Amino acid sequence: MVECVCAVLRVLVLQAAWALCGGQVRYSVPEEAKAGTVVGRLAQDLGLEAGEAEARRLRLVAQDRRAGVEVSRASGALVVSSRLDREELCGKSAPCALRLEVLVERPLRVFHVELEVTDINDNAPIFPATRKNLSIAESSMVSSRFLLEGASDADIGANAQLSYTLSPSEHFKVQEENSNSRTKSLFLIITKPLDREMVPVHNLVLTASDGGRPTLTGTMELVISVLDANDNAPQFNQSVYNVHLPEDTVEGMLVTRVNASDPDEGSNRDVKYEIDTVLPSSASDIFSIDVESGEIRLISAMDYEAITMYELHVKVTDKGTPPLSSQCKVVVEVLDVNDNAPEVWVTSLSVPVPEDASVGTVVALLSVSDRDSGANGRVRCWVWPSGPFGLEATFAGSYSLVLREALDRERVSEYEVEVRAEDGGSPALRASRGVRVPVSDVNDNAPAFSQAVYTVLARENNAAGAELARLWAQDPDEAGNGRVSYSVAEGGVGGAAGSSYVSVDAESGRVWALQPLDYEELQVLQFEVRAVDAGEPPLCGNATVQLFVLDENDNAPALLPASSGSGSGTLWAWAAWGAPAGQVVAKIRAVDADSGYNAWLRYELWEPRGKSPFRVGLYSGEVSTARALEEADGPRQRLVIVVRDHGEPARSATATLSVSLVEGAEAALAAGAGSSSLVARSAMGGESGSGAAAATNVWLVVAICAVSSLFLLAVVLYGASRWAPRAAVLAGPGPTTLVCASEVGSWSYSQRHSRSLCVADGAGKSDLMVFSPNFPPPPGSMVKDTHPEPPALGTCFVVNLVLEYKTGKLW
């Protein structure tokens, strides 16, 4: 709106000027006016009526094609047709006036029009360069001036009036001074001494501002280098060199090459390189540099796990006087390779582990690490062999060794566990750590005897305190839990208490006799031995001991009936004259309280010696005629008969038999009267009786030979078992073996009982004879332990021979 008002005023002024100057029209228009802007009413100012401009063909004849204005045919006004740039049309000329010719035809007439293009502030100040490098010796004095090239502004007038400012600096300022020329001179003035070592380069900004509204500015960067006497230092083409090297790079490999140049000439241009500093300082001997070419090579091995990055400060120095230098930085980043195996440490170990420890109990804490990085340092772990233990991850790099299954110390007392680790590198590296896990004992096993039933043989009349046997119970536990003590439990067979006859040593398990044993009173003693460990709570086990008392020859034969307290007396019998040989006239009856061989009796005719008409059956005790009786034998025969057992030593008793020789009828009467305990046999049937006796004697001799052989074998075996270093104990639980003997040496088999034996009219008695040679135990019967092995139980050989003399027959 303001521009329009100004244009109207200018038109009025031109019209007045036209009237004063004799018809010349002057217009004014600002540069950069938009196309279509009306400069002035040209037709009206020329005195043309409305509508005459087109009729009389009013047009503009431009002397310069860049006029940028035209005449509107419709209105006859002078308007802007294209961009008007004063600086392009007139440059720095002022004022900028364009001379135009206007032609009116019909009739033809020429008018001169002057168009002034006025300036606007549309151009900022411009420096010749955006950056200005200055080299100033650091020895320059304060107030030294250095000429600067100022800026230019295409505008004119106030729009081209420039002022200068310098960015804040304590060392420099700018100053304008008038010179003889029409332009002002611009100087850079030093305000403070320069120090290259402190500030080698000053970066400043010079700003030029014009006087237009609004103000426009232009800038130029001033780079001021402070120089030594050698005014150019070498410069690297890069300030930082970045290099990546695997840690297994071989020695002598080229790391990188640095390059620096110096714009000086001669010796000031020649440079040499050196490694100034290396970080860390301990790596100073890993790299070397060629002083001429700047090649950096590896001279020592690198280790990523020790140093992951090296920083080399390389210095380049020229050969000037004094020499100038510069530095660059070489950063060497080390790349990891899988050159470190995993490491496994046991940080805590809780051993021994009780065998009753619950599943999930933590046995050990482990730490696993790998000095490599990335996949090379990623570790997986497991336990080998797979057993009662496993690994559980607690947090990164930490694991717990836990119990996965129940333990049994008696089966496995100690485990050797190997914790294995493997990293994720290629190829993968492995490591392992052995962990010894002992298992501690708890009292979970009761003592156990090797046999449920022990059979022990002991001779009667043994001394008090004699060792009868040695028992041993095994407890697989250890220490106090496996320390066994022995004792005798109360009770026995037939009301006999075992503790009154025997005692057991609490530590060794040896069975001792508390008193002498008497076979005639006690043949079998059964008692229990208890084994108790020292655990908490204590556990126990029992074993049954069957003690068989072996008979000793401690009883002499006794005649039935006994005629005196001494065991000897006179017996009476009658024999008929003329009795044939083999005629039984009497029978000696005797018993022995012992059993077996000790109770096996034999009869011998002691007196008269020589040719006696009588003889005695060796085992039957029958007194019979050795030949036919004659009157020369006298009316009476006195026979001394000795009865001996088969014991060692043998015991004996004597009987005196008085045989009266009478007639046959008297002998028969005497036999019928029964005046004596011996029965006289009549002479009748002599031949048949004699034949039966002869047959009986033959079989009796055969039986005696067989029994004697067996007796000798039994004696040998029994002696071997008796003098063996260990007690005579049978090798395993089994039936009790008893041997019973009759008056003629018969044995029979029994289970815990003795057979009753009746001899003639005497009372029955129980006989026991056992043969127990000490044979070595069967394989597998020994148990390894620190305790002494109990004596091996012998094998019992049973002789079952029944020899019974009844009514003249051998069964």
Side-chain angles (χ1 to χ4, degrees), residues 608-785:
R609 303 270 180 121
K611 295 182 179 181
S612 173
F614 297 97
R615 60 186 178 187
V616 178
L618 183 61
Y619 295 106
S620 63
E622 293 180 343
V623 180
S624 60
T625 56
R627 53 181 174 79
L629 296 177
E630 302 174 354
E631 291 184 0
D633 294 326
R636 180 174 297 169
Q637 290 285 331
R638 181 177 177 273
L639 305 177
V640 178
I641 300 173
V642 178
V643 182
R644 289 190 176 90
D645 57 27
H646 284 73
E648 288 292 338
R651 294 181 178 271
S652 64
T654 59
T656 302
L657 177 62
S658 180
V659 181
S660 298
L661 302 179
V662 296
E663 295 295 335
E666 293 180 0
L669 291 175
S675 60
S676 175
S677 61
L678 298 179
V679 179
R681 304 295 181 98
S682 66
M684 294 184 297
E687 292 180 0
S688 62
S690 176
T696 298
N697 289 338
V698 172
W699 284 107
L700 186 59
V701 170
V702 173
I704 289 173
C705 292
V707 170
S708 298
S709 300
L710 292 175
F711 174 76
L712 292 176
L713 177 61
V715 169
V716 172
L717 297 178
Y718 179 77
S721 64
R722 181 62 177 173
W723 294 105
R726 296 179 178 179
V729 182
L730 296 184
T736 304
T737 304
L738 305 178
V739 180
C740 300
S742 69
E743 75 270 22
V744 292
S746 66
W747 292 268
S748 64
Y749 175 86
S750 173
Q751 175 71 29
R752 294 191 182 181
H753 298 286
S754 299
R755 295 292 179 87
S756 297
L757 177 64
C758 296
V759 181
D761 298 334
K765 72 184 184 74
S766 297
D767 297 335
L768 173 67
M769 183 172 64
V770 180
F771 303 95
S772 177
N774 188 16
F775 280 73
S781 63
M782 303 293 287
V783 180
K784 295 182 179 180
D785 196 86

